[in-house]
Amino acid sequence: MRQNTFPTRSRSWWAVSSSLPLLRAIDELSANPEQLAAVRETGHCVVLAGPGSGKPKTLPTAMARALAEDVVDPRGVACITYNNECAIELETRLARLGVAAGDRAFIGTVHGFALSQVIAPYARCVAVELPADFRVAPRTESRAAVEIAYAAVIGGSDDPHRRWGFASEKRRRDVDRTQPAWQGRNPELAAFVEAYESELRKQGVIDFDDMPLLAYRMIKEHTWIREALRARFSVLFVDEYQDLGHALHELVLLLCFGGGIRLFAGGDADQSIYGFTGANPELLESLTRRGDVRTIRLRFNYRSGRRSVRASLGALGEERDYREVAGAPEVELTFWAVPLGLDMQAQAVAATVIPKLVEKGIALDEVAVLYRAAYLGDKIALALKRAGIPYVRTDGNAIVRRSSRLARLIEDCARWVEGGWRNAEPRFGRLLDQGVALVFGRHATEEEEQRLSDRLMGFLQATIGFDGSTHEWLQRFDHELLAGWRTTSRNAEQEWDVCREMITNTDPAADLDIPLPHFAGRVEGTGRVSLSTLHSAKGREFDAVVMYGVNAGDFPSDRDKRSATGLREARRLFYVGVTRPRKELSLIFQEHHHSPWVKELFDRSQA
């Protein structure tokens, strides 16, 4: 029996018809037998895809084809992605393939899938100690619950949040609490976790790690929930499998190898860089060893030529059977040795490296500066600000928390009032959809939607041509829109504190404020340089990448060297950065103090 799954995002459902764009996409992949095999596969399948190998095109084409040819209406498919950025990118690609709004696909994060497809519809039917009006705890409530649980179970003068870091790791790793490992391996941490969760339940809340864990327990303990999901989804697509951790893996084993749903998993163990969140590349590799799973390797690199592919493997430190495609461009490598430390390196990026890239015809919005930690982004941001170069940050110190739906709505509204209204970019309908999802969880009455639409349009029109700063505009957004939305919200996944974080992150007293056109990306004649940690840049591509602070003590760091696992993950992180550019890679380091991996990369590029 052919079985299929449905892509899921906590917002849009989709229907698909066999369309000319889909047929063209399949035809374009026909020159690559590995990609075509992945798209045509009708059994369990794992697609291993290195950088530049075309997975972003292969996966949505496989989804659209499955919906058109394999999945019988009203069943659909679900797609679990690493974050909301990936979900939005996937939705965009599906739209180009003729996938239109409907009710047959869910695209979203593992947390979004767990919340919207398992917990919200079924929690009232099973004993999980959640009230009907449960909500997601904000960070302040989670921290308070940690402190209460610590005092009850452990006590003492240690920092409870430092100890919670270890407890949280155990919570994510030991998913099945019926196994001996839960109590047998550090029972004190198990008691800490259980006391913390009990405190959350007293408040009628869950946290983000709760979502996949609760969903797993509900699906495992109640066969009828598994059957309900199988009736809805016939194929489960999972993107970036290596990054999604133990809870997702256990869900996959239940739903796909014990629940009748077909699996299509894509990923690359060489790009597994989220060990600190519980990710484990071995989980992906374990699927490839199953006899009931077909493994397809995408070997051809469409982004880079032979020399560039060899150089990237020098960064990885291992050999792989990757091949360049005839005519693929070479990525130009430049090495910048700066006399002193990080501050001077940041100045060199702003004063020399980025201007040189612009001289070569590379647009600012196709330039990314990548680094290991958010504090390094502070140094780059200061240097760019002094040089008058607009930028956008996607690290932990960013104005916009890009994984947040509210932050995305705020940024889109800023784009609209700063000129986007002239050409419907973004469309008001999109802003309205985002607002309805945020406030009502997509189940608004016509009257509620109209009221929200009127209020949103009134605010947007009132701030067209706004002559204040980003800080001032955000304060108006919070006061004139969010104040009312908070009181009417029925969405369990609340994010209201995000706007206040953004207001704090643009505090003019701390010299953090920026012009609203810069925030909106509406600077005449330019875009914005992207500032990102290497972790946040994963999965993205730019014409030019500047890797900042590639010094001997940073790649690898002393902490990386404490274990073979840590050193290997640091090496993969370096590899992720090296494989982001399409045209030019610039590495910035202190003179005579560069990372040893820089030399390996250079040597391989010359071979």
Side-chain angles (χ1 to χ4, degrees), residues 370-374 376 532-535 548 554-557 560 570 573:
L370 309 182
Y371 37 83
R372 288 204 69 170
L376 297 173
S532 174
T533 61
L534 287 155
H535 286 93
Y548 160 63
D554 300 306
F555 281 99
S557 68
D560 296 331
L573 186 65

Side-chain angles (χ1 to χ4, degrees), residues 343-505:
D343 290 331
M344 185 165 283
Q345 291 170 48
Q347 292 173 30
V349 171
T352 306
V353 180
I354 291 178
K356 290 284 187 184
L357 293 172
V358 172
E359 286 177 11
K360 294 179 179 181
I362 296 176
L364 285 182
D365 56 6
E366 282 295 344
V367 176
V369 183
L370 309 182
Y371 37 83
R372 288 204 69 170
Y375 83 92
L376 297 173
D378 295 341
K379 295 178 181 294
I380 289 289
L382 179 60
L384 294 185
K385 188 172 184 177
R386 287 173 174 168
I389 300 174
Y391 61 87
V392 58
R393 296 184 67 167
T394 58
D395 58 29
N397 291 344
I399 294 175
V400 178
R401 190 198 296 174
R402 302 196 73 83
S403 61
S404 158
R405 290 176 301 146
L406 174 56
R408 181 171 299 283
L409 171 61
I410 292 171
E411 191 172 33
D412 283 347
C413 286
R415 290 172 57 211
W416 195 93
V417 302
E418 282 296 324
W421 58 271
R422 293 189 181 93
N423 56 1
E425 184 57 43
R427 293 179 302 103
F428 177 75
R430 172 180 165 183
L431 303 181
L432 178 59
D433 285 347
Q434 290 174 290
V436 169
L438 187 74
V439 179
F440 300 111
R442 313 214 176 271
H443 301 293
T445 65
E446 287 187 20
E447 181 181 354
E448 287 171 333
E449 184 169 329
Q450 186 60 55
R451 215 166 33 238
L452 189 146
S453 175
D454 293 343
R455 190 161 190 165
L456 177 60
M457 179 56 77
F459 170 80
L460 294 175
Q461 289 180 329
T463 56
I464 288 176
F466 184 73
D467 60 0
S469 68
T470 297
H471 183 77
E472 294 166 326
W473 184 84
L474 289 170
Q475 287 180 314
R476 283 192 62 174
F477 191 100
D478 186 58
H479 176 69
E480 297 178 26
L481 281 181
L482 297 188
W485 289 0
R486 289 186 193 101
T487 61
T488 57
S489 172
R490 294 199 303 271
N491 188 0
E493 200 172 347
Q494 297 177 11
E495 302 179 314
W496 306 120
D497 58 338
V498 168
C499 187
R500 288 170 182 160
E501 289 177 12
M502 295 167 72
I503 291 170
T504 299
N505 291 343

Side-chain angles (χ1 to χ4, degrees), residues 183-434:
Q183 291 292 342
R185 187 162 51 197
N186 205 325
E188 183 181 69
L189 291 183
F192 189 7
V193 169
E194 291 170 355
Y196 165 77
E197 292 175 346
S198 176
E199 186 59 31
L200 291 185
R201 300 301 178 268
K202 290 177 186 176
Q203 308 301 321
V205 300
I206 61 175
D207 69 3
F208 279 93
D209 282 343
D210 260 326
M211 294 179 194
L213 296 173
L214 277 174
Y216 166 74
R217 290 201 285 272
M218 290 170 63
I219 293 170
K220 182 181 181 186
E221 295 169 9
H222 302 281
T223 305
W224 65 268
I225 296 179
R226 203 178 314 168
E227 289 299 316
L229 290 170
R230 186 176 70 84
R232 190 169 201 173
F233 304 124
S234 54
V235 188
L236 175 63
F237 292 85
V238 184
D239 195 17
E240 303 295 353
Y241 197 99
Q242 75 282 349
D243 292 333
L244 290 166
H246 290 265
L248 180 278
H249 184 66
E250 295 296 337
L251 279 173
V252 164
L253 295 181
L254 277 176
L255 293 174
C256 299
F257 302 105
I261 296 175
R262 174 160 70 88
L263 173 67
F264 184 110
D268 179 11
D270 289 337
Q271 297 185 69
S272 180
I273 56 175
Y274 291 101
F276 61 93
T277 67
N280 182 352
E282 168 59 26
L283 301 179
L284 174 63
E285 292 169 355
S286 71
L287 292 179
T288 68
R289 295 192 290 270
R290 293 183 63 104
D292 52 355
V293 174
R294 181 183 181 184
T295 299
I296 298 173
R297 299 178 186 273
L298 304 185
R299 296 169 296 162
F300 291 95
N301 189 316
Y302 291 88
R303 187 194 305 161
S304 308
R306 176 181 178 278
R307 185 169 58 85
S308 302
V309 171
R310 289 188 58 79
S312 69
L313 293 177
L316 181 64
E318 297 183 21
E319 290 298 324
R320 294 289 183 267
D321 184 24
Y322 293 149
R323 306 175 186 180
E324 74 282 0
V325 174
E330 296 290 355
V331 175
E332 182 179 352
L333 295 176
T334 59
F335 302 85
W336 300 80
V338 179
L340 296 176
L342 292 167
D343 290 331
M344 185 165 283
Q345 291 170 48
Q347 292 173 30
V349 171
T352 306
V353 180
I354 291 178
K356 290 284 187 184
L357 293 172
V358 172
E359 286 177 11
K360 294 179 179 181
I362 296 176
L364 285 182
D365 56 6
E366 282 295 344
V367 176
V369 183
L370 309 182
Y371 37 83
R372 288 204 69 170
Y375 83 92
L376 297 173
D378 295 341
K379 295 178 181 294
I380 289 289
L382 179 60
L384 294 185
K385 188 172 184 177
R386 287 173 174 168
I389 300 174
Y391 61 87
V392 58
R393 296 184 67 167
T394 58
D395 58 29
N397 291 344
I399 294 175
V400 178
R401 190 198 296 174
R402 302 196 73 83
S403 61
S404 158
R405 290 176 301 146
L406 174 56
R408 181 171 299 283
L409 171 61
I410 292 171
E411 191 172 33
D412 283 347
C413 286
R415 290 172 57 211
W416 195 93
V417 302
E418 282 296 324
W421 58 271
R422 293 189 181 93
N423 56 1
E425 184 57 43
R427 293 179 302 103
F428 177 75
R430 172 180 165 183
L431 303 181
L432 178 59
D433 285 347
Q434 290 174 290

